[in-house]
């Protein structure tokens, strides 16, 4: 048992220190940024590597925008090509895939799209305007200097910050369009956005909320207490009771960690069985999420481990029974994959959208060359503009 304990400690130590691809910044990047900026960039990378369950996604994306704005202001670059290469070098240093911070990756893609658009100028054509026009506009990329680009890029980043700041309020203000009097609404676990969405609807509607407790974390109890304090009649049920009660529910309203490119969800563990039950009884499932949660990536069948995050089983099992644990293999995934055909509607900061419409939004927010931030090739930047 002592040998197994030492081996387990060694495995944990290896995972915590060796799971990130790059421990040192690229020499090219170090040449382009001052020392005080290097320390801030390293501090942000450490922030992402620290696994914090309660870390709010909004705080992470705002911190990301501010860090990359600082990088744009202080780095030594002349053209947009060089700036994109600097940003991509820094992205390869960040533990984006290992930390499951898809919100951070999405905001980085937004910043890269801003740089490309400002470099192309106001006459650039969007992919949405036609495939032939898109490729025609890409054939003659402009090569503006820093003096022409930096102010425009920073102004667009300020607009991005305003969009992030107002995203939650825009979602909440649509509550009365989707919540009606005397309805019974089912939700899962705890979400700040869903909580405020329901509380806003309570101002003009009387309805009941049923909350699945979201075991083993039991965050649903916290959600129920906050809703009850806001004057909403709230009932907490076990996750296993969802199928038995969902036939009496008018709609399911949930939050999510990530919206995949095809409209699928990376949501809290347990949401999939809830969505399946809703599909069986033809109860609509509505997802409230800001657009910075929309990712251009898909679930890869050859690498499902990159999608999920397996956490320790200590929150489910009592480690006092060591003899039993030595004979079983325990898997405790943190997320559920919810297919897009189980989702009725997405409520975002730009309005309500069907899952089939998300591809259009992705083409407007991100550039195809920036979809895969984790495995992108920095050396091919010259061919991307």
């Amino acid at each position: 048992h002592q040998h197994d304990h030492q081996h387990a400690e060694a495995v944990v130590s290896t995972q915590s220190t060796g799971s990130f691809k790059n421990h040192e910044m690229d020499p090219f990047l170090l040449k382009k940024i001052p020392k005080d900026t290097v320390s801030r960039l390293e501090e942000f990378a450490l922030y992402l590597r620290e696994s914090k369950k309660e870390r709010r996604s909004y705080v992470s994306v705002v911190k990301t925008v501010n860090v990359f704005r600082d990088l744009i202001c202080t780095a030594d670059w002349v053209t947009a090509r060089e700036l994109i290469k600097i940003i991509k070098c820094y992205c390869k240093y960040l533990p984006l895939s290992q930390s499951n911070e898809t919100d951070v990756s999405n905001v980085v893609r937004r910043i890269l799209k801003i740089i490309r658009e400002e470099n192309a100028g106001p006459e650039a054509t969007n992919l949405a305007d036609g495939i032939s026009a898109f490729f025609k506009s890409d054939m003659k990329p402009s090569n503006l200097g820093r003096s022409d680009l930096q102010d425009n890029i920073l102004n667009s980043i300020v607009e991005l910050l305003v969009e992030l700041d107002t995203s939650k309020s825009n979602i909440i203000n649509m509550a009365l369009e989707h919540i009606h009097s005397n309805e019974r609404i089912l939700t899962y676990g705890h979400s700040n956005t869903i909580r405020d969405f329901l509380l806003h609807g309570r101002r003009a509607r009387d309805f009941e909320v049923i909350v699945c407790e979201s075991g083993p974390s039991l965050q649903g109890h916290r959600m129920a207490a906050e809703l009850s304090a806001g004057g909403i009649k709230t009932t907490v049920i076990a996750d296993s009771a969802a199928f038995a009660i969902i036939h009496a529910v008018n709609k399911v309203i949930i939050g999510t960690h990530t919206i995949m490119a095809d409209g699928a969800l990376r949501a809290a563990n347990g949401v999939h069985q809830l969505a399946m039950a809703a599909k069986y009884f033809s109860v609509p499932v509505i997802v409230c999420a800001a657009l910075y949660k929309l990712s251009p990536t898909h679930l890869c069948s050859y690498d499902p481990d990159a999608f999920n995050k397996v956490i320790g089983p200590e929150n489910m099992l009592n480690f006092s029974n060591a003899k039993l644990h030595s004979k079983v293999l325990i898997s405790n995934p943190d997320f559920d994959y919810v297919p897009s055909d189980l989702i009725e509607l997405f409520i975002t900061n730009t309005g309500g959208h069907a899952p089939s419409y998300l591809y259009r939004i992705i083409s407007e927010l991100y550039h195809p060359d920036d979809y895969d931030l984790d495995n992108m090739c920095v050396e091919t930047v010259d061919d991307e503009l």
Side-chain angles (χ1 to χ4, degrees), residues 279-297:
K279 183 75 171 181
Y280 183 82
F281 287 101
S282 299
V283 176
V285 177
I286 299 175
V287 180
C288 297
L291 282 182
Y292 61 77
K293 290 180 179 284
L294 177 60
S295 174
T297 58

Side-chain angles (χ1 to χ4, degrees), residues 86-139:
I86 291 172
I87 291 176
K88 288 194 170 185
C89 283
Y90 181 49
C91 287
K92 294 183 76 67
Y93 172 74
L94 294 175
L96 295 178
S97 62
Q98 292 88 344
S99 62
N100 291 99
E101 291 287 352
T102 52
D103 302 333
V104 172
S105 301
N106 295 335
V107 171
V108 173
R109 294 184 182 103
R110 292 286 299 274
I111 294 175
L112 288 172
K113 179 70 179 292
I114 287 173
I115 296 172
R116 296 177 190 277
E117 288 181 342
E118 296 299 338
N119 182 67
E123 298 180 356
T125 306
N126 198 328
L127 179 61
D129 296 328
I131 298 294
S132 60
F134 174 77
F135 283 109
K136 183 178 180 181
S137 65
D138 250 16
M139 291 175 60

